[in-house]
Each structure stands twice: as C-alpha cells, then as structure tokens.
Amino acid sequence: MAAARCWRLVLRGPGLSLHTAAGAAVTAPEVTGPDVAAAPVARYPPLVASLTADSKAARQRRVERWQATVHAAKSVDEKLRILTKMQFMKYVVYPQTFALNADRWYQSFTKTVFLSGLPPPPPPAKPDTEPAPALDVAALRAAACDCLLQEHFFLRRKKRVPLYLEREAIASPFLDQLVASLTGLLSARNPALAAAALDCKRPVHFYWLRGEEIIPRGHRKGRVDALRYQINDKPHNQIRISKQLPEFVPLDYSVPVEVPVMNCKPDKLPLFKRQYENTIFIGTKTADPHCYGHTQFHLLPDKLKRERLLKQNCANQIEVVFRANAIASLFAWTGAQAMYQGFWSEADVTRPFVSQGVITDGKYFSFFCYQLNTLALTAQADQNNPRKNICWGTQTTIYAMKWMEKRSNKNPRCLMLNIVM
Amino acid sequence: MALASGSARLALARPGRLGLGSCGAPRRGAYEWGVRSTRKPEPPPPDRVYEIPGLEPITYAGKMHFMPGLARPVFPPWDPGWTPPKFRRLPPLHEHPLYKDQACYVFHQRCRLLEGVKQALWLTKTKLIEGLPEKVLSLADDPRNHIENQDECVLNVIFHARLWHSTEDIPKRETYCPVIVDSLIQLCKSRSQASFSGQTDLCPNNTLSTTWNRGSTLIQVHGSSGAQLNAKDPLPPIASREEVEATKNHVLETFYPISPTVGLQECNVYDVNDDTGFREGYPYPYPHTLYLLESANLRPHRFQPDQLRAKMILFAFGNALAQARLLYGNDTKVLEQPVVVQSVGTDGRVFQFLVLQLNTTDLASDEGVKNLVWLDSDQLLYAHFWCLPVVRRKAVVEPVGPTGFQPETFRKFLALYLHGAV
C-alpha cells in the first residue's frame, strides 16, 4: 500500500528527481495516511539512483560516492592520494613560457584577477606592542651589493664564462647568496623569518581541474569531460614559514575587475596534454611544520630574456612573461599549501592563503603578491562561487648597474623589504 | 652519414689530415675505404696541357662556368684560416706555455691519499692533536651560544633533508647531503644570538691554487673544495707561542717504503702562482670554514673517512698558505701571527671537524716549527634514519625518524661557525 502511494507520487511529479522522491516517500506515510502511525524510520531503504547503470544519475551518484570518500579521509596524505591517484590526460602548464599573452590564459585557468601595484598595506600595529627595530636599509643595500659584486667581479673563475652560460653560472649563485643574506639580515625584524626554512631548487607541483569540454574523438567521443591541469615548477629559491602570512584583503573581497574569459580551447595557447603522475607538492612533504609559504624567487631562463624578445618584435610580451610566471607559480604554491591543509575543490578554503614572489632575469626584478581565495575551480563547484584569486604585481625594475662599476647604488630593495616583512 | 661510423672518426682523428673538405663533406681521403659502390668517384685527371712545361694553360676559371675547349682549372688548396673547436688538437705537452721540467704533484678534490691523515700531515708538516681545541669546545658548551629549541630544530633539519624535501619515498644521498649542510648553515646563520655581520657564504666555484716545496718535491693544491665561508676578520690563533715552539721537538711520521707523493697527480704543466680564488678588494678576504661534502650515491665513489680527513687537511692548509703568502709575502719564515682555517667534512650523517693553524711557511725541511691541526673525527649526527616505519607482525618496531641522535655534533658545528665572531 505504501509502495503504491509512493509510485503515485513519483508519477505525478515528473520534475522531481529520484532523491526528492525518496524523501517524499519517507514523509508520505505521515502526510497521506492518517491511519498509519507516525514512523520516523522509513520501512524501506531509500530510493536512490543505481550505481552501475549507464545513466547520468548513476554517474552523479558515483561521483558523489567518490567525493564522500575524500571528505571521509582521515589524513591529508590519504585525501591527496584519493584526489590524484587516477591518471588521465591533462594539460601541462609551464609557468615560464614563451607563449603570447600567456598571462591572460593563465588567469582564466586559475580564476585569478591581476591588479597592478602592490596590495594595500596592513593596518598599523597596535600602540601597546613594542615598535620594531628600525629598518637598516644601508646594511641591506650593502649586503645586496656585496652579493652582486662577489659573483660578477670578485670571484675568479677558471675559465671565462661564455655568454650562453652566464645566467646559470653567475645570476643563479647571485640569487642564492642574495636570498640567504637578506633572510639573515631581516630575521632580526621578523621572527618568522628567523625560523624559516630556505629551499633551493626544490620542485613545486600542483594538479587541478577547471572547466569542461566535449571529447572530440575516441571511444568517449561526445561526452563531457573535465579539463585537468598540472604545473611542475622549480622555483630557484623559496622561503617557507610555520605560521601563515596575514591576508591582504578579506576572503570575500569583490574585485571590480573581471577574470579574462578565453573563447578557445587551451590547445591554442599552445598547451599540450600528457598523462603522468599527478603530484601536489609545496617543496616539502605534509609532515613538515613549515607548511606555509612566504616568498618564492624565480630566475627566468635565457630563452625568455629581454634582448631575445625585442629581436622577435615582442616588446609587449616582456611584462607578460613575468606576470605569467608569477600567476602560475604562485597559484600552484598557494593551491598546494591549501591542499596540504585539507582543502580541495569541494571543501573550499575558509581562510585566504597568501604568498609572495620575486621574478628576475638577473638584472630586472618584479615583485608579486598572490592571495588564494578559492580552490573551487571545477565546473560543479564553480557554479555559485563569487570568489576570485587575486594577484598584485609591479612593473619590472632594473636593479643592478653594469658590473664594471664598483658600487651599484640604484636599489629598489625597499620595495622588496616591505614585502618580505 | 658516413661520419657516424667509428672508423670514419678514426680517420678524421689521424693527425695531419685536419680540416673538412668543401661544403662540410668529409675529406677526400675518407672514402678510400669501403665497398667499391660507396667509394667516392675519383677526381678527373688533370688536362694534358699541364704536363707541358713552360706553358700556361688557358682555363675557364675567369668565365666562372665550363667552356669546352678550355682547360680545367686547378685551384690551390683552400685554407679556412680557423678550425672548428671540434677538430682542434691540443698542442703536445712540451709546447704548452706552462710546461716545466720539474714535475709537480697536484692534489685535487678527487685525490685519495693512500696513507690518509699520516700522509697529509707529512705533506703539510703538521702535528696532529685529537679533539677540538678547548676554546672551540667551550663555545659549543656555552648556553649563551645555543639556539632556542636547538635539538628540535636540528631534528627538523634531519627530517627535512632525509625525508621531506623530495617527492620520492627515500631521497638519495646526492640530494640530501647538500640539503642537510645548507640547512644547518642556514640554522646557524639565522638563529644564532650573536649578531655579527662578518661572514658570507660562498658557492662552490672558488678555485684555489697554492704550491710549496717539501724537500725536493713540489706539491700543489689545486681545485675547488666545495662551499667556503669567508670572514671580514681573521680567526685568532689558538695555540700560544709556547705550544708552537714546543712543536719543534715533534718528529713527523714517515711511512717508508711508501712515497709521500703517492695518490697525488704528477704533472709537468702547472702554474706556480698562488690564487685564493678572489681578486683584491674582496670585502671578505679571510677564509673561515670549508665545507666538504661526500655526496655520491654509491659507496665506492665516496671517500673513506680517513681519505676525507686528509683532503680536509690539505685544502685547509692550501687556503691558509695562500692567505699567509698574500699577507706576509712569499719568503719562507715562521709566522708571527699564525693563520687559522677550519673545515667540516661530511657525507650527510658522519661529520669530521678540523681546525688548522699555520705557524710556518718554511716547509722544505723537516725540522723547525710545525703547523698544528686539531681533528675531531667520525662524529655521528644520527646513527640511522628510517624513511619508512619498520613493521614486524603488524606492530611498529621502529618509527619514522632518526635513531641515535647526538645533539653534541651540532653544537660543535655551531661552535665552528661562531668561532672568531663571538
């Protein structure tokens, strides 16, 4: 009898899905049958879609079952393992790329808004806390000059370094030295920096899904498939701390700028698909207490140097190269940090993850700040998601004069120092 | 392409037949070998006109194209004027500008001395003292010099280097050895209470070169030793003048019948001039500590602890000697102000600490004042590191982490770092 009543309910409402029908079936005896006692427990198991049928509802149920296993995973490692164990073809995104207008593409892949300039300064410290020691800009400048001169001038090398090896033979150790010395000098002002971990050329990986496409050919032709992306980055140096950096703007800050929408498939960038291991890695494993990021330093390769771009008539792409590198690398890093804390696309971040980046080609520096507000980039999770990730960045500024001069004094280090603190 | 085969390369390597033929093809002689069908066709014989002496043949060279009736021109062989680096031959050793008749025995970073520390002591006219000097040990034990949560930080460093820094389950020594040394130096630099600005770290591009006479043999230390810490001020001497004078009575240990130069590379092409690796005016001129890493994955490729200690002694001595010659001139004498250089050698787990004091540059004779070296060998930072937990019968017998952690080793490391600044 009750079953007949359920059937009638189902037939009456074609718009109802099977799940709500199950719910209605549970409440039906109480509503329609006054003679049946109010039984809060359903007498029959809930009517849900099949698990193995070849139907959209069944697929939805399988997806939800998989998502439930991720939610129920006890440790972060297990969660990451479930999210990354299935390998499919995915786009490999290279942060340092020669593609034209790559920064707009990367913004659309990562749902990032780019704002030029630096983020708004933090509110002034409370008056009862003791004032921080004065910033010794001269000492920092001297240390930076020392690093520069050491590599370019004082170090006597066995053979003259050829031009094509100049970057990795000179700029690379210079950046290493610079990061180490600045971190050491600034640790007096910033106790978090004193306890920070410094990584040198450690990999950073991130894997995410964004958007959907119709599969063009193959045995799954015509079906809807998510687009998968993977970044395998190797920042030259990175500083990791154990406490999270404070946010620049609130989590739900609405930026008036829109995220660029690209009307073509990512293959047009050009971006190529490959199937290999999906990894999520911030530079260290999940057990490390220094799991939050502070600053990354990147060195651009010879392929993307200014002279080469100018020779190819791509003068407007110089800034694009820096921006694309910053957006991709910092998104990957902050995203991986968020996933290390257990957030993922269905469990969006509850606090913003903030990191900074410095991109250089040995002579020109650019400074970037990135705030990750949302990890929900899949088609399902992004339907009602107003949050956007924000990236602030500066123009490239020349840092070093020619190495023939004894002391280089043009130094926008102040900019970086404000960020580093 | 015929160049791909080995015999063609041998043909190319024969001296006296350098240079490419026209349009980058192999030389005409290259096709002398091979199956008849692949042989290059013979060039046409010169015109009979050339056999008539005293006659100048009229050729079509000026017309720039073939003309029947005119003779075929014969051009002189073309000399390109330069050889590509691929085909350049080195001149024979005798013609090298730095060739000298007296052989020099060079110690470079891959030299393994047969007698180890004994041989290094003889070569550098040094007296060995086991254990670090009290001054340095007191720095290690002084609680003011300690970093807060020192043991916890060092354990984190060990975990990071041995397990966390890579996506692999068990990172290899080539990656974890430099990571652990860099992290320990970073820990010392950023967290030590003594705030001093006297030091800078150096990447391993520094090439050192020093030469000295030991008896009648010429010995040279040449090459890069790894990361080196330099300082603005020199390290103060450790042994007092009386102790230095007392070394006159010490007799260097010989190891007859083994020659003291065994294991060194004998070469006739060398440069006698000293080179500290830096130009004048460098703001950090005094060498402070050398960090030598043995980070090869395979055990046979790594140095034995004895050989590593010998290498540390020789490189520290080389740095000290170059510095002394720079400060006090090239003539051999007993130094008023001894030069002190430190060294740390490790393979990621076992550390060797060394402090060397150069008292004299008079190294030709075996008598007189000797140099002093304090050596602390085989200090374990931890006995073993389990990257995966050891599980026997479903119970975890050994958890993930280091076993046999000795905090004393890091205290000595920190003491060597702070020596001279505190």
Side-chain angles (χ1 to χ4, degrees):
Chain A
M1 276 283 285
R5 249 181 264 133
C6 292
W7 270 113
R8 256 187 280 129
L9 274 169
V10 166
L11 290 167
R12 212 178 298 153
L16 291 171
S17 81
L18 289 165
H19 294 280
T20 51
V26 171
T27 55
E30 300 159 30
V31 169
T32 52
D35 52 331
V36 175
V41 175
R43 283 200 219 149
Y44 303 94
L47 280 179
V48 289
S50 156
L51 206 54
T52 53
D54 187 14
S55 66
K56 288 197 191 108
R59 184 163 190 277
Q60 179 68 16
R61 185 150 170 244
R62 285 194 294 270
V63 165
E64 278 172 17
R65 200 168 71 128
W66 174 80
Q67 286 171 358
T69 58
V70 181
H71 283 289
K74 287 189 205 52
S75 71
V76 171
D77 285 322
E78 211 184 305
K79 210 177 269 203
L80 291 178
R81 171 84 190 129
I82 301 174
L83 285 170
T84 54
K85 70 179 172 189
M86 283 308 294
Q87 289 183 15
F88 297 106
M89 294 288 278
K90 58 189 175 182
Y91 287 109
V92 184
V93 176
Y94 293 98
Q96 296 177 334
T97 173
F98 50 79
L100 299 180
N101 294 330
D103 62 334
R104 283 173 53 83
W105 283 93
Y106 288 179
Q107 282 178 51
S108 79
F109 296 153
T110 61
K111 203 178 177 190
T112 311
V113 158
F114 185 81
L115 303 173
S116 30
L118 286 174
K126 294 192 278 284
D128 52 337
T129 54
E130 54 180 70
L135 186 62
D136 192 1
V137 181
L140 294 162
R141 192 171 286 179
C145 294
D146 279 337
C147 294
L148 198 60
L149 284 167
Q150 180 186 300
E151 284 310 318
H152 283 263
F153 182 67
F154 282 122
L155 199 54
R156 215 177 268 158
R157 294 194 162 84
K158 259 196 291 202
K159 298 176 202 171
R160 247 200 75 94
V161 176
L163 201 63
Y164 66 95
L165 281 179
E166 197 189 82
R167 189 157 311 233
E168 54 191 77
I170 300 182
S172 176
F174 157 60
L175 195 58
D176 273 329
Q177 294 291 304
L178 190 67
V179 171
S181 51
L182 286 183
T183 317
L185 284 171
L186 288 169
S187 53
R189 269 198 85 154
N190 191 355
L193 266 189
L198 198 59
D199 287 336
C200 191
K201 298 194 189 86
R202 291 279 102 222
V204 168
H205 304 300
F206 191 55
Y207 170 75
W208 78 102
L209 283 82
R210 169 110 171 119
E212 282 181 337
E213 62 157 359
I214 310 282
I215 301 177
R217 72 188 56 76
H219 68 280
R220 294 181 67 210
K221 179 175 166 178
R223 295 184 177 95
V224 172
D225 188 33
L227 287 175
R228 292 163 292 273
Y229 301 87
Q230 167 90 35
I231 288 182
N232 297 102
D233 188 22
K234 205 169 243 192
H236 196 270
N237 289 89
Q238 60 180 26
I239 304 175
R240 284 178 293 111
I241 49 179
S242 43
K243 282 201 212 63
Q244 202 174 341
L245 281 177
E247 59 185 27
F248 291 123
V249 290
L251 186 61
D252 290 314
Y253 180 76
S254 60
V255 188
V257 184
E258 285 300 318
V259 176
V261 170
M262 312 305 283
N263 292 325
C264 309
K265 278 177 65 168
D267 294 79
K268 290 285 175 197
L269 177 56
L271 216 55
F272 298 98
K273 280 190 168 176
R274 216 173 3 129
Q275 178 177 327
Y276 59 102
E277 206 183 309
N278 305 326
T279 31
I280 294 174
F281 193 64
I282 62 169
T284 175
K285 292 192 175 137
T286 45
D288 197 333
H290 294 90
C291 52
Y292 294 105
H294 188 280
T295 318
Q296 265 188 351
F297 294 82
H298 291 264
L299 187 62
L300 290 178
D302 262 336
K303 220 163 49 152
L304 302 171
K305 60 185 182 191
R306 286 181 108 88
E307 296 85 21
R308 203 155 175 270
L309 288 171
L310 288 169
K311 235 190 329 187
Q312 289 167 347
N313 269 336
C314 296
N316 54 349
Q317 298 294 316
I318 297 174
E319 294 292 328
V320 164
V321 160
F322 284 84
R323 284 205 291 258
N325 193 358
I327 292 173
S329 304
L330 290 174
F331 170 75
W333 203 27
T334 47
Q337 288 168 43
M339 298 203 81
Y340 269 34
Q341 301 306 311
F343 299 110
W344 58 293
S345 42
E346 297 300 319
D348 209 357
V349 294
T350 50
R351 54 183 195 276
F353 282 80
V354 159
S355 287
Q356 297 160 143
V358 178
I359 317 248
T360 171
D361 67 349
K363 233 164 116 181
Y364 293 84
F365 282 69
S366 293
F367 307 97
F368 296 88
C369 301
Y370 195 93
Q371 175 162 329
L372 184 86
N373 292 324
T374 174
L375 265 184
L377 302 171
T378 56
Q380 185 187 2
D382 203 22
Q383 277 161 3
N384 300 322
N385 188 13
R387 299 191 205 160
K388 297 173 224 180
N389 304 320
I390 313 175
C391 180
W392 289 269
T394 63
Q395 300 282 321
T396 51
T397 38
I398 185 166
Y399 165 58
M401 295 300 214
K402 295 192 298 260
W403 65 270
M404 296 299 273
E405 296 174 26
K406 269 290 178 180
R407 286 277 179 262
S408 51
N409 50 12
K410 189 168 172 198
N411 199 341
R413 283 287 115 188
C414 306
L415 209 62
M416 185 192 156
L417 301 172
N418 287 330
I419 303 171
V420 170
M421 276 167 310
Chain B
M1 282 266 292
L3 272 176
S5 63
S7 41
R9 212 168 281 140
L10 282 171
L12 278 171
R14 266 205 305 263
R17 309 200 75 176
L18 292 172
L20 296 168
S22 59
C23 68
R27 304 177 321 278
R28 298 166 70 95
Y31 288 99
E32 284 160 2
W33 48 267
V35 193
R36 230 174 299 172
S37 54
T38 59
R39 285 213 197 128
K40 218 168 159 186
E42 266 193 26
D47 283 320
R48 298 292 298 274
V49 171
Y50 286 98
E51 292 166 24
I52 306 171
L55 204 65
E56 190 200 332
I58 299 177
T59 65
Y60 53 79
K63 291 180 78 73
M64 303 292 268
H65 64 90
F66 174 73
M67 185 68 190
L70 296 181
R72 187 188 175 80
V74 171
F75 295 106
W78 173 59
D79 172 32
W82 75 293
T83 46
K86 189 176 170 191
F87 300 106
R88 267 175 224 168
R89 306 292 310 187
L90 291 170
L93 283 180
H94 290 270
E95 293 168 22
H96 202 278
L98 292 174
Y99 178 80
K100 295 166 186 61
D101 285 319
Q102 187 190 10
C104 174
Y105 296 91
V106 179
F107 182 89
H108 51 80
Q109 58 179 330
R110 292 323 288 168
C111 277
R112 296 179 188 232
L113 294 186
L114 186 64
E115 284 293 318
V117 174
K118 264 195 292 185
Q119 191 175 354
L121 294 175
W122 189 92
L123 287 171
T124 58
K125 199 175 162 193
T126 314
K127 177 178 171 201
L128 173 72
I129 303 175
E130 289 287 345
L132 287 175
E134 296 84 33
K135 213 161 91 168
V136 176
L137 288 173
S138 66
L139 275 177
D141 296 325
D142 190 355
R144 278 176 311 165
N145 292 337
H146 287 184
I147 304 167
E148 68 237 29
N149 302 333
Q150 185 168 303
D151 290 349
E152 200 188 302
C153 292
V154 176
L155 279 170
N156 269 346
V157 161
I158 298 174
F159 264 105
H160 176 74
R162 286 302 302 258
L163 183 60
W164 292 337
H165 75 278
S166 140
T167 46
E168 304 160 27
D169 285 329
I170 306 177
K172 298 270 173 210
R173 195 181 292 263
E174 271 170 348
T175 45
Y176 78 67
C177 188
V179 168
I180 202 171
V181 174
D182 282 338
S183 311
L184 289 176
I185 297 175
Q186 165 75 16
L187 190 63
C188 295
K189 195 191 282 198
S190 65
R191 300 285 288 278
S192 58
Q193 297 300 328
S195 56
F196 51 93
S197 62
Q199 309 208 338
T200 181
D201 198 354
L202 188 72
C203 31
N205 283 339
N206 179 30
T207 47
L208 168 74
S209 178
T210 349
T211 328
W212 70 95
N213 262 309
R214 192 80 180 88
S216 54
T217 41
L218 196 62
I219 300 168
Q220 184 182 68
V221 169
H222 187 91
S224 80
S225 59
Q228 179 176 335
L229 208 65
N230 281 18
K232 279 204 169 105
D233 313 304
L235 283 169
I238 297 171
S240 57
R241 289 214 61 87
E242 295 78 37
E243 289 169 24
V244 168
E245 295 295 320
T247 58
K248 278 189 188 157
N249 305 327
H250 174 77
V251 172
L252 291 172
E253 204 180 329
T254 49
F255 27 90
Y256 181 83
I258 297 174
S259 155
T261 53
V262 71
L264 300 177
Q265 182 176 351
E266 182 184 346
C267 72
N268 290 75
V269 177
Y270 55 92
D271 190 10
V272 189
N273 297 331
D274 292 334
D275 183 14
T276 52
F278 300 101
R279 291 186 210 235
E280 305 86 39
Y282 185 49
Y284 302 92
Y286 301 99
H288 186 273
T289 316
L290 303 169
Y291 295 96
L292 277 73
L293 307 179
E294 280 306 310
S295 54
N297 278 337
L298 304 172
R299 187 143 27 132
H301 293 181
R302 289 199 297 272
F303 275 28
Q304 298 297 319
D306 203 33
Q307 294 161 346
L308 180 62
R309 289 194 284 272
K311 181 176 159 186
M312 281 161 66
I313 293 177
L314 274 158
F315 271 103
F317 177 82
N319 269 299
L321 190 64
Q323 191 59 35
R325 287 205 179 133
L326 201 66
L327 290 173
Y328 306 120
N330 275 355
D331 37 318
T332 59
K333 58 177 182 228
V334 178
L335 298 175
E336 290 296 325
Q337 194 65 3
V339 176
V340 175
V341 174
Q342 300 172 141
S343 180
V344 175
T346 177
D347 67 349
R349 187 180 69 107
V350 181
F351 282 76
Q352 331 274 348
F353 300 110
L354 185 152
V355 181
L356 182 128
Q357 176 169 325
L358 186 76
N359 298 319
T360 169
T361 49
D362 176 19
L363 304 158
S365 66
D366 277 339
E367 287 82 34
V369 172
K370 317 265 184 317
N371 305 314
L372 286 164
V373 70
W374 290 263
L375 191 54
D376 207 0
S377 18
D378 295 333
Q379 304 293 309
L380 291 176
L381 188 57
Y382 52 92
H384 183 71
F385 189 92
W386 294 108
C387 292
L388 302 165
V390 178
V391 179
R392 295 258 179 276
R393 292 194 206 150
K394 299 189 186 174
V396 175
V397 170
E398 300 271 3
V400 174
T403 52
F405 171 60
Q406 288 178 17
E408 186 57 36
T409 315
F410 178 70
R411 276 189 226 132
K412 290 184 189 163
F413 189 97
L414 183 60
L416 280 188
Y417 184 88
L418 293 175
H419 183 214
V422 173

